[in-house]
């Protein structure tokens, strides 16, 4: 490995919030390219499934790191919302004619605390999702990824992916509209602050600057942490 940019995002920064918009298609190559434009593609990606959207077939079943996944919804949600992938397909349909930089959803990546036992991974992530995001009315799909190597170390360090609605997803007057409480700076700041509060002090030194609206600013990592990661490879 000859560049820190090749290190997985969850190893470079403990919290990442990326906007999903048509503009994002130009920022990524490879098998994750579709996840920068479509909400449904992101859902298929984080849950390691096979699906199809307007850009073609998407298949991530070959990734061997899925630990668990699920969907968190606010109280009194419609029954249809529990149908796998439906919310995200409808979001994409509602945004077909939107501006290229119109955010469809947030893709959030959270590095799990180093000292968190595996049985607590799912409860901690689900509590965070409910307390920080779903209580505001948004819908959130989540997935836990991790994979050990042959010696028992981490080939892929434990981390969580969250897919969060930024637009009205119920079939009412707000359907498809950008919701300030889910889309604005306040919720992004809360995501950072609340997750960082759960991390050991040593993990808080990596970059914590949120992604800005419509932006794809590279991380500014803690170089000592990067050096440690490179030395262990």
């Amino acid at each position: 490995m000859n560049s820190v940019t090749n290190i997985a995002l969850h190893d470079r920064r403990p919290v990442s919030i990326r906007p999903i918009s048509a503009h994002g298609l130009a920022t990524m190559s490879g098998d994750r390219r579709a996840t920068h434009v479509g909400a449904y593609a992101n859902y298929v990606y984080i849950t390691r499934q096979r699906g199809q959207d307007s850009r073609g077939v998407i298949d991530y079943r070959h990734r061997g790191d899925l630990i668990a996944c699920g969907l968190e919804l606010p109280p009194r949600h419609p029954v249809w919302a529990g149908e796998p992938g439906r919310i995200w397909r409808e979001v994409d349909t509602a945004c077909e004619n939107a501006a290229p930089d119109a955010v469809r959803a947030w893709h959030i990546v959270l590095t799990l605390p180093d000292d968190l036992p595996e049985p607590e991974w799912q409860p901690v992530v689900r509590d965070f999702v409910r307390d920080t995001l779903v209580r505001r009315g948004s819908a959130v799909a989540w997935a836990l990824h991790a994979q050990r190597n042959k010696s028992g170390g981490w080939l892929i360090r434990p981390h969580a992916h969250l897919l969060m609605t930024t637009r009205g997803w119920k079939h009412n007057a707000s359907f498809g509209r950008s919701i300030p409480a889910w889309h604005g700076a306040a919720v992004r700041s809360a995501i950072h602050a609340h997750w960082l509060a759960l991390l050991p002090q040593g993990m808080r030194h990596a970059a914590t600057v949120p992604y800005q609206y419509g932006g794809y600013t590279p991380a500014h990592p803690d170089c000592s942490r990067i050096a440690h990661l490179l030395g262990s490879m």
Side-chain angles (χ1 to χ4, degrees):
M1 185 173 292
N2 55 18
S3 171
V4 296
T5 59
N6 291 326
I7 297 174
L9 183 60
H10 57 272
D11 277 331
R12 285 188 277 130
R13 52 194 302 155
V15 184
S16 168
I17 306 173
R18 174 166 58 79
I20 302 168
S21 68
H23 173 71
L25 189 63
T27 71
M28 176 63 70
S29 60
D31 76 340
R32 289 189 295 125
R33 189 166 185 248
T35 69
H36 278 242
V37 58
Y40 179 68
N42 277 265
Y43 170 76
V44 173
Y45 174 77
I46 70 173
T47 57
R48 301 312 198 212
Q49 299 183 56
R50 183 184 187 278
Q52 185 168 354
D53 65 7
S54 61
R55 283 157 296 281
V57 174
I58 316 156
D59 194 345
Y60 297 106
R61 293 174 298 176
H62 61 285
R63 303 282 185 110
D65 58 353
L66 180 66
I67 302 298
C69 61
L71 178 68
E72 301 297 330
L73 299 168
R76 297 182 296 278
H77 60 269
V79 174
W80 61 261
E83 297 176 18
R86 179 167 173 180
I87 289 174
W88 316 107
R89 287 192 297 268
E90 293 197 5
V91 165
D92 283 339
T93 298
C95 293
E96 279 184 356
N97 298 315
D101 62 348
V103 176
R104 302 182 179 200
W106 295 122
H107 186 146
I108 304 161
V109 183
L110 307 171
T111 304
L112 296 184
D114 287 336
D115 58 355
L116 188 67
E118 186 168 349
E120 296 182 30
W121 293 356
Q122 185 170 326
V124 166
V125 170
R126 294 185 70 185
D127 285 349
F128 173 82
V129 168
R130 292 166 180 165
D131 295 344
T132 304
L133 306 177
V134 174
R135 70 174 183 82
R136 302 168 187 262
S138 59
V140 180
W142 59 270
L144 291 171
H145 294 174
Q147 190 171 23
R148 293 191 180 275
N149 56 32
K150 293 180 180 179
S151 62
W154 293 116
L155 179 63
I156 299 175
R157 291 184 64 216
H159 61 284
H161 289 260
L162 313 180
L163 181 58
M164 174 189 171
T165 53
T166 60
R167 294 176 176 272
W169 55 273
K170 295 181 180 179
H171 295 163
N172 55 29
S174 296
F175 178 72
R177 296 181 181 178
S178 184
I179 307 297
W182 310 343
H183 178 267
V187 69
R188 285 176 283 151
S189 294
I191 292 167
H192 278 262
H194 294 177
W195 188 254
L196 289 176
L198 298 175
L199 298 179
Q201 184 63 39
M203 294 181 69
R204 300 179 193 174
H205 294 310
T208 59
V209 177
Y211 279 91
Q212 297 300 313
Y213 171 83
Y216 299 87
T217 306
H220 299 285
D222 178 344
C223 292
S224 64
R225 183 170 175 77
I226 294 298
H228 171 73
L229 289 167
L230 291 174
S232 65
M233 295 180 180

